[in-house]
Amino acid sequence: MNSPTRNLLEQRLQLINTPANLPLLQQGLRGIERETLRVNAQGQLMLTPHPIGLGSALTNPLITTDYSESLLEFITPAEQDISIALDKLDAIHRFSYTQFNNEMLWNNSIPCELPTEAEIPIAWYGTSHIGMIKHVYRRGLALRYGKSMQCIAGIHYNYSLSENLWKLIAQAEGDKRKHQDYQSESYIALIRNFHRYSWLLMYLFGASPALSKSFLRGRQHNLESLSDDTLYLPYATSLRMSDLGYQNNVQDGLVPPYNTLLDYMRSLSLAVRKPHPPYAELGIKKDGEWMQINSNVLQIENEFYATIRPKRVIKTGERPVEALCARGVQYIEVRCMDVDPFEALGINLSTSRFLDAFLLFCALDESPLSNQAEGQENLDNFALTVKYGRKPNLNLQNQGKPISLKAWGEELLSKIKPLALLLDQQTQSTEHQDSLALQFAKLADPELTPSARVLKAISEHQNSFAQFALAQSLHFAQHFKANPPDEKQTAFFEKLAADSIAEQTAMEANQTGSFDEFIEDYRSRTSSQICCEGFQQ
């Protein structure tokens, strides 16, 4: 049980830091999902279908689309070392460029110059029932939020600790719950801490302080003009994560601060069942075509926008909550990271090493139960940081008391330092400590942050966000074109693409029943209510 003389983090660090237990740190898995728009050489959105050489967006496990046919999503396998995942992400980029025809990747979270809403192509996944429901879901997103907002890109970071490490900690602390339940609740505790401290990630890595005026399409805003075509906030870190980005007032308060996996699942299940009259007025069907899966607050669980999610690999046709109910939390997905426009992959190894140390801190540190007041404080701290994070002497709130962002950031980094040391000890390197030193430097000098660097670079491109982002995208396009994959890598990706097309073709040929029957069955499984009611804490 817990020692009265040492806090929980110190106790857990001591438990892990033995020759027998330290290797368990390496058994966790890391993966990256990178979103990126296809654009032409002038920085305009490509309106062409998903390149056939990349395979089927429905069944290729590494290369797919997100909201739009034009919005690629590259997915790495889960690896024990994030450097391996980054190498594989690099290979995906290099292969993709061999399949492009006069197009390139937009290396920024904020979209390029977009065409009219009607012209932005919704992602198409073929005529199988699974493919069609993915398409209908995106039609619903277009109705509810418009297409432009769906073109914002980000980096998703998938993270897990070894199941054996969770078992070790549970045994040492005398926890008698079933392993699945202990592991799930430990990830929920990680998520509570993440919500407390994720404002720090926005300060350190936010890279979207400006955007093209045209992106807002006349929406109300409080941004300042940087030039005729560019709006910004002088101290912003991530406008992508502000109320100008992918946000939705209908979802406010939808999933209140949760202290258990059951709380989370019940909140989402209720939202997927709760009717929303304005969405009903938009229509579920039009001229016999499905326009949205349903008219509830959420069509499916994944419509809930969150900066972090508890996840479990799902089976074909399975709903996310069903998977969590049946098999518990397997990993977490961090969703708030901007694309770094100065990095070819949108993220680099140093940032990834820090994320590993930060998330390990969130996992192992004490994580008190949350409440509505703290939940609002967390939201306020995050909102202040994304809009005003580099403002001198900016204060946040920590348990109702004001504290400067700089002082709190340095305090957190100091707490993370022992975890960086432990991770470096395990890998016999200094990479985590080196990254931590870079983050301390950003707190000491805000001009070192990506958001400040972006504004400086924009100033060197006639204060035009579009010109800066286009220049960066062209630069990295040239890099990837000059470094194509070798024959072995090319053969691997070509076979993956061919196999994925064959798999989609088989799905379409062998399915039974009508799509109406399929979607009605899917809609009937909106809550996993029986499973949730039987969930044991």
Side-chain angles (χ1 to χ4, degrees), residues 193-319:
N193 276 339
F194 182 89
H195 286 310
R196 291 176 176 119
Y197 309 132
S198 55
W199 56 265
L200 179 62
L201 298 181
M202 296 296 91
Y203 175 85
L204 296 174
F205 304 111
S208 54
L211 47 78
S212 288
K213 192 175 295 185
S214 62
F215 172 68
L216 295 181
R217 298 196 191 277
R219 289 167 58 196
Q220 291 294 313
H221 62 83
N222 64 348
L223 303 182
E224 300 177 22
S225 290
L226 191 60
S227 65
D228 290 343
D229 71 352
T230 298
L231 298 170
Y232 83 123
L233 285 177
Y235 301 116
T237 62
S238 178
L239 294 180
R240 163 181 169 260
M241 295 305 300
S242 76
D243 52 6
L244 292 170
Y246 189 86
Q247 305 289 334
N248 173 21
N249 292 335
V250 177
Q251 295 188 12
D252 287 350
L254 196 60
V255 177
Y258 50 92
N259 290 316
T260 67
L261 177 59
L262 184 58
D263 290 342
Y264 173 77
M265 294 188 296
R266 280 180 171 163
S267 297
L268 276 188
S269 297
L270 288 170
V272 176
R273 298 201 310 272
K274 183 179 179 181
H276 189 59
Y279 292 162
E281 291 175 10
L282 296 171
I284 296 177
K285 271 189 169 183
K286 183 178 181 181
D287 300 328
E289 291 281 324
W290 287 88
M291 301 307 294
Q292 48 183 339
I293 294 174
N294 56 49
S295 58
N296 298 332
V297 173
L298 299 179
Q299 298 175 86
I300 62 175
E301 296 90 340
N302 283 351
E303 188 173 337
F304 174 62
Y305 187 73
T307 56
I308 186 171
R309 286 178 180 166
K311 296 290 290 281
R312 160 68 60 176
V313 173
I314 63 173
K315 301 172 183 177
T316 301
E318 186 178 37
R319 301 184 70 102

Side-chain angles (χ1 to χ4, degrees), residues 4 9 12 37 93 116 149 188 289 343 359 404 441 458 474 479 520:
L9 179 61
R12 288 175 168 179
L37 289 168
H93 280 73
T116 64
M149 191 170 72
I188 298 301
E289 291 281 324
E343 294 295 331
L359 293 170
S404 77
I458 289 175
L474 285 167
H479 162 75
E520 289 293 355

Side-chain angles (χ1 to χ4, degrees), residues 41-55:
Q42 290 73 47
Q44 299 165 324
L45 191 70
M46 293 294 295
L47 306 180
T48 53
H50 184 63
I52 189 69
L54 299 182

Side-chain angles (χ1 to χ4, degrees), residues 36-38 45-52 54 57-58 64-73 103 119-126 135 138 151:
T36 175
L37 289 168
R38 291 187 293 117
L45 191 70
M46 293 294 295
L47 306 180
T48 53
H50 184 63
I52 189 69
L54 299 182
L58 179 65
T64 183
T65 52
D66 192 82
Y67 170 76
S68 171
E69 277 293 91
S70 312
L71 183 56
L72 291 174
E73 183 172 6
E103 57 191 303
E119 290 177 288
I120 298 173
I122 297 174
W124 176 249
Y125 300 95
H135 180 73
R138 286 157 175 77
C151 293

